Amino acid sequence: MSRTAAILRWLIVFCAIGVGFFFSRDLRLSDDAFDLLPGEAVRGDLRMLQRMGLVDRLYITVSASQAEGVPSPVGKNALQESTRKLGELLAASGQFSYVLSRLPEGYEFSLFGSLQPSLPLLFDDGDMAALDAMISPEGIKNGLQKSFALLNSPAGIALKKQVQFDPLGLTSLALTKLNLMRSEFSVQIDEGFFMSKDGLSCLLVAQSAGSLTDSAKAKEIERILTDASSAALTPGIEASVIGSLPHTLANSRSIEADLRVLLPVATVLLILLFLFAFRDIRALVVVGVPYLAAPMAIGLTSLFHGKLSGLALGFGIVLLGIAVDFSVHLYLALIESEGEGDRRGALKKVVRPMLYAFLTTGSVFIVLMFSQVPSHQQMALLAFFGIFFAAACACLVIPTIAPIRPKKRLKAAKIKWVSLLTPKRPGLVLLVWLVVLVLGAMSWPRLHYNGDLRALDVPDAQVKEDERHFTATWGGGDEQAFILAEGDSLDEVLDRNYRVYRYLKEQGAAKFQSFAPLLPGPAAQAKNLEGWQQFWAAHLHAFEAQFAEAATARGFTDKAFAPFFAWLGDEPQPLSPENFLGGPLQPLFSSMLKIPAEGDTTKNSYLAMTTVAIDDQLLAGLLEYDDKETGITVLANKKWRAEVERLLRHDVVTLSLAAGLIIALLVVLEFRNGRAVAAALAPVISALAAMSIFCYLTGRQLNMMHLIMGVMVIGLSVDYGIFIVCAKLSGSESAPVRGVSLCATSTLIGFGVLAFAHHPALHALGMTVLVGIGMSCPTALFVSPALLVFGKKDTLG
């Protein structure tokens, strides 16, 4: 090749690299937990929770620091003051949609003022028995006695108006419904602060305005929290956080730490491998081909996705070992040729298997783009572009650096590559292979799918300790379901939310959180009003006489409670959501009721949430209720797990079958010989059997990462079979055997380093496929030739 032609080829490659860097200039590296979720239904469910703020909600425990289990001697005032300052700093950052550090001062009086005009609309059928007891002679006596005591207390002047309007404490019936606004956490309200029973902790709740499943946003929120905590917390007081934030950060940092270590290790090992194999500095170019292809692959991928996850880049480590295959086979074919004429013949021999290897591997990644998991789609697209540009770069640059030298120079290298293409005892080889296949077939039905999203989570020790501390301080920890009512109008969503409340009451649900009793929908309000009016129509006359007698006996004047009786005769005011959303309980209501911004015309843009502790029986009933009721969605981890498992099974079967059929078709088109087709596909079958046996013996459950593993191994393994079969049929033995051995070793290095990753997804990706590729290579070297010669006196020529 002339010097000018070689320079021109390198210029083309460098121009492509420059274009790749240009397209990558706006690439955003981000790990979003939603990218790991299969199926739009599952992602849609979690997005509904995100709209409600649950995904982006932080629970911050401000508590006395502990040394060896002994809390610091800090007072209640210091705790509350630190909590107040922390809440103010977080709210002032502008990065939170709401921060609840305490209820406003005087919230009790404000709540009474907002509820009193509409009180009759809150009393449902279950309240009438209690109301009947309150207006009995004994109930009237007790109620007036309490009112008298209140008026003569230090706060009597402030409470005078409240007593005049409600001498019997009817409001207390409504306020008991406030208990359902609390979550399952065990808290005590002290001067508006949410305190633990031991008085050593305060609870603060904040909702991020941005998505905390995105690692970039999570790091920004973490910085704000750290700065605010440093400024607000007095010595001896600390803050711990639970929620999606620490999990997002732990996963992101685990992946970043793995990449920082494993990518350089893989690169160094590949360089050492090829320097040892070729004993030539040109091996660096062979290893460097995937790096030449990487900018263009990443740049084009960014045009489609706009961002890449850490998992996709982690898969790039594996891609190094895959993309180098083309340059290895091409380089070996060229250095074993003698003279320009022989080089052209060598190229012709290697181009055909290289083409089919690219088609099989590329088609597998195309199939994987149809996975329902976005991160799989990113990996597949990056891999397809990677191997495409790696093959192109190899064809351009490898001929420019491959030396022309006689074969005796190769012998001087003292690298002994034993030809395995003519096995002496093919029957024994095939018997051992058959045993492996049988064991694989037996273990496959015994494997279990795990659709729990937490299987891919990697909380560090601090995250686990903070969650343990939170549960010990505030309780909770029950399996929960979230019931979302949605609608096109506020009235519609409030009615549906109230029906959910009534359903839970009928089912005897012990622990649930709902605002429905304090803010029923129009239909429920109308029914409650009807019951209220019927009740007083039957009891008012007798009650007036009994009340007047008891009030006089207690020393009250005739006109003392005129406001109360005027209120009984007035038409109640409709309950206004604005009174709650703008009142003292605004933070609590805004966390459970979402009203769209002005101008938002999105369908079902109103959302109301009920949280309930569940068991299997209640969940089954809720899912049935979900199916029957329009506008009701039940969300629970057990439901997601079942859905993920269903989608995983579907993808495993569908995508694996599609990849297998495409590869089988390509192999049939290539060889048109049943024996040769079986020999080329043998490494694929062996790899899948080995992975199945490995997962069964180690007790590993299949998760969504195994999908990409299985489909990818199908594409890689068949390449080894294609090169070996082509070598046998063409009579060329040395270069293909060396090439397959080197390629398999390089791929094993890529997967091998991922086996040492701390993140479970990367570790699973590396470890399981390490087993598959580790089996496919010896199958290609031993079993494929055995299939070609078994039962024949002469080898195929």
Side-chain angles (χ1 to χ4, degrees):
M1 180 181 296
S2 67
R3 184 181 181 85
T4 302
I7 293 174
L8 180 61
R9 287 173 176 242
W10 278 99
L11 282 175
I12 293 173
V13 172
F14 283 125
C15 287
I17 293 174
V19 172
F21 279 120
F22 175 79
F23 285 143
S24 303
R25 69 190 188 282
D26 296 325
L27 177 65
R28 185 166 59 94
L29 298 179
S30 178
D31 291 287
D32 193 329
F34 284 104
D35 290 340
L36 291 173
L37 302 177
E40 188 57 41
V42 176
R43 290 193 296 274
D45 282 356
L46 288 183
R47 286 194 181 99
M48 290 181 71
L49 286 184
Q50 192 171 43
R51 285 173 59 195
M52 288 302 307
L54 279 182
V55 176
D56 303 318
R57 192 169 299 169
L58 303 177
Y59 295 93
I60 305 172
T61 301
V62 180
S63 56
S65 304
Q66 294 198 7
E68 299 181 355
V70 179
S72 300
V74 295
K76 180 184 72 173
N77 291 338
L79 269 177
Q80 293 180 349
E81 182 63 16
S82 293
T83 303
R84 183 189 64 79
K85 288 182 178 179
L86 180 58
E88 289 177 352
L89 290 174
L90 294 181
S93 70
Q95 296 298 316
F96 294 89
S97 55
Y98 81 84
V99 177
L100 176 60
S101 59
R102 63 171 301 183
L103 295 175
E105 294 183 11
Y107 75 93
E108 301 96 333
F109 297 109
S110 178
L111 184 60
F112 172 80
S114 61
L115 286 180
Q116 197 271 340
S118 308
L119 200 60
L121 305 180
L122 298 180
F123 292 137
D124 56 25
D125 296 340
D127 296 316
M128 291 306 166
L131 184 59
D132 191 35
M134 294 178 75
I135 67 169
S136 67
E138 187 64 25
I140 295 172
K141 179 180 176 182
N142 291 335
L144 289 174
Q145 184 175 346
K146 292 178 182 179
S147 294
F148 184 81
L150 282 175
L151 290 174
N152 287 278
S153 68
I157 296 176
L159 293 174
K160 179 179 179 181
K161 184 176 180 181
Q162 179 176 334
V163 170
Q164 283 184 305
F165 273 94
D166 188 14
L168 300 182
L170 301 186
T171 308
S172 63
L173 285 178
L175 292 180
T176 58
K177 303 175 186 293
L178 184 60
N179 292 330
L180 284 176
M181 286 286 291
R182 298 182 182 180
S183 64
E184 76 280 12
F185 304 138
S186 177
V187 298
Q188 295 180 338
I189 299 179
D190 187 320
E191 298 184 19
F193 290 92
F194 302 98
M195 301 285 295
S196 59
K197 290 184 178 179
D198 59 11
L200 297 176
S201 301
C202 282
L203 180 63
L204 186 153
V205 183
Q207 181 178 316
S208 169
S211 174
L212 293 184
T213 61
D214 185 286
S215 60
K217 187 64 179 179
K219 291 175 183 177
E220 180 183 358
I221 294 298
E222 181 192 37
R223 178 186 57 78
I224 293 172
L225 277 170
T226 301
D227 294 344
S229 297
S230 299
L233 305 183
T234 59
I237 296 178
E238 62 185 8
S240 60
V241 181
I242 71 164
S244 58
L245 174 69
H247 287 267
T248 299
L249 292 171
N251 280 278
S252 176
R253 286 168 180 160
S254 176
I255 292 173
E256 289 175 358
D258 286 337
L259 294 181
R260 279 197 302 268
V261 174
L262 299 181
L263 183 58
V265 168
T267 302
V268 170
L269 290 177
L270 286 173
I271 290 174
L272 293 176
L273 169 68
F274 287 106
L275 284 176
F276 176 78
F278 295 133
R279 308 293 176 88
D280 194 320
I281 195 65
R282 294 178 179 88
L284 294 178
V285 178
V286 177
V287 179
V289 164
Y291 295 95
L292 297 176
M296 198 64 181
I298 293 174
L300 285 182
T301 304
S302 68
L303 291 180
F304 287 88
H305 289 283
K307 66 177 181 177
L308 279 181
S309 67
L311 285 178
L313 290 181
F315 182 71
I317 297 177
V318 178
L319 193 58
L320 295 178
I322 300 172
V324 78
D325 292 3
F326 301 103
S327 54
V328 168
H329 284 290
L330 193 57
Y331 186 76
L332 283 173
L334 290 174
I335 65 174
E336 291 197 359
S337 61
E338 299 181 23
E340 286 291 342
D342 194 26
R343 285 168 70 97
R344 286 192 291 270
L347 286 174
K348 287 183 180 179
K349 287 183 178 181
V350 78
V351 163
R352 186 175 180 87
M354 279 182 59
L355 173 62
Y356 273 89
F358 168 74
L359 291 176
T360 52
T361 306
S363 63
V364 163
F365 289 121
I366 291 176
V367 167
L368 196 58
M369 291 178 197
F370 292 93
S371 168
Q372 299 185 72
V373 182
S375 63
H376 289 179
Q377 298 168 11
Q378 290 183 21
M379 293 178 188
L381 191 61
L382 178 63
F384 177 80
F385 285 139
I387 63 171
F388 175 82
F389 287 110
C393 288
C395 292
L396 286 171
V397 304
I398 295 301
T400 69
I401 58 99
I404 301 176
R405 56 190 179 185
K407 290 186 178 181
K408 63 181 180 180
R409 293 283 301 278
L410 296 175
K411 295 179 181 179
K414 298 181 180 180
I415 302 176
K416 296 181 180 180
W417 296 88
V418 180
S419 174
L420 302 171
L421 297 187
T422 309
K424 295 180 179 180
R425 303 184 67 180
L428 180 60
V429 172
L430 294 179
L431 178 62
V432 174
W433 181 57
L434 184 61
V435 170
V436 173
L437 298 189
V438 171
L439 291 176
M442 291 174 61
S443 60
W444 177 255
R446 293 174 170 82
L447 299 182
H448 299 286
Y449 297 93
N450 184 2
D452 195 338
L453 306 179
R454 292 171 291 189
L456 300 178
D457 192 21
V458 58
D460 57 28
Q462 186 61 52
V463 173
K464 293 178 180 178
E465 173 58 25
D466 288 344
E467 291 178 344
R468 185 205 61 77
H469 174 62
F470 185 90
T471 302
T473 304
W474 306 109
D478 296 320
E479 185 79 23
Q480 288 187 324
F482 305 98
I483 310 171
L484 297 184
E486 53 186 337
D488 294 327
S489 68
L490 183 58
D491 288 348
E492 184 177 44
V493 82
L494 290 179
D495 276 334
R496 287 173 176 169
N497 188 57
Y498 192 81
R499 289 199 292 271
V500 170
Y501 160 72
R502 296 293 297 180
Y503 174 81
L504 292 176
K505 294 285 285 184
E506 292 167 2
Q507 297 300 312
K511 297 169 65 177
F512 64 94
Q513 180 187 17
S514 174
F515 68 83
L518 280 176
L519 187 56
Q525 291 184 39
K527 183 178 179 182
N528 290 344
L529 177 59
E530 181 182 357
W532 171 269
Q533 291 172 339
Q534 290 176 353
F535 177 88
W536 285 111
H539 296 88
L540 182 59
H541 181 72
F543 168 72
E544 287 178 332
Q546 294 168 359
F547 184 88
E549 181 181 348
T552 302
R554 178 53 63 180
F556 291 106
T557 66
D558 294 341
K559 303 295 183 180
F561 300 107
F564 171 61
F565 284 96
W567 171 75
L568 284 179
D570 289 341
E571 185 76 16
Q573 295 181 13
L575 283 165
S576 173
E578 289 74 16
N579 289 343
F580 290 101
L581 294 176
L585 300 181
Q586 181 272 334
L588 291 176
F589 269 96
S590 62
S591 69
M592 304 172 70
L593 176 63
K594 293 300 177 184
I595 296 177
E598 188 175 350
D600 185 357
T601 57
T602 307
K603 183 176 177 60
N604 290 332
S605 54
Y606 290 84
L607 280 177
M609 180 180 70
T610 300
T611 306
V612 57
I614 58 170
D615 53 25
D616 291 340
Q617 182 178 356
L618 181 56
L619 177 60
L622 286 173
L623 293 178
E624 290 182 8
Y625 183 75
D626 182 344
D627 292 336
K628 292 186 295 185
E629 287 288 330
T630 303
I632 300 297
T633 303
V634 176
L635 310 177
N637 184 61
K638 289 184 177 181
K639 174 189 174 183
W640 294 324
R641 178 171 180 170
E643 181 66 10
V644 168
E645 289 177 356
R646 184 188 67 80
L647 294 173
L648 180 61
R649 288 191 182 94
H650 176 270
D651 270 5
V652 166
V653 173
T654 304
L655 299 184
S656 299
L657 183 61
L661 289 176
I662 292 174
I663 285 175
L665 178 62
L666 289 171
V667 172
V668 169
L669 291 175
E670 163 69 358
F671 298 113
R672 303 178 185 276
N673 179 297
R675 188 183 288 262
V677 168
L681 295 177
V684 176
I685 304 172
S686 296
L688 295 177
M691 289 193 296
S692 176
I693 294 171
F694 174 75
C695 289
Y696 173 71
L697 292 179
T698 58
R700 295 173 183 257
Q701 293 183 317
L702 300 182
N703 57 51
M704 61 186 67
M705 293 308 297
H706 290 84
L707 169 63
I708 191 172
M709 299 174 199
V711 176
M712 182 176 60
V713 166
I714 291 175
L716 294 179
S717 301
V718 73
D719 293 350
Y720 305 146
I722 288 175
F723 276 102
I724 292 298
V725 172
C726 285
K728 181 64 180 177
L729 296 179
S730 64
S732 173
E733 299 186 3
S734 178
V737 173
R738 294 180 62 191
V740 168
S741 301
L742 278 173
C743 291
T745 304
S746 66
T747 303
L748 288 174
I749 288 175
F751 288 120
V753 295
L754 283 185
F756 294 96
H758 291 91
H759 194 276
L762 291 179
H763 174 75
L765 182 65
M767 193 65 197
T768 310
V769 186
L770 180 65
V771 174
I773 298 298
M775 187 64 186
S776 66
C777 178
T779 300
L781 296 176
F782 291 93
V783 177
S784 295
L787 286 170
L788 290 172
V789 302
F790 181 69
K792 301 186 71 173
K793 293 183 179 181
D794 299 319
T795 59
L796 294 174

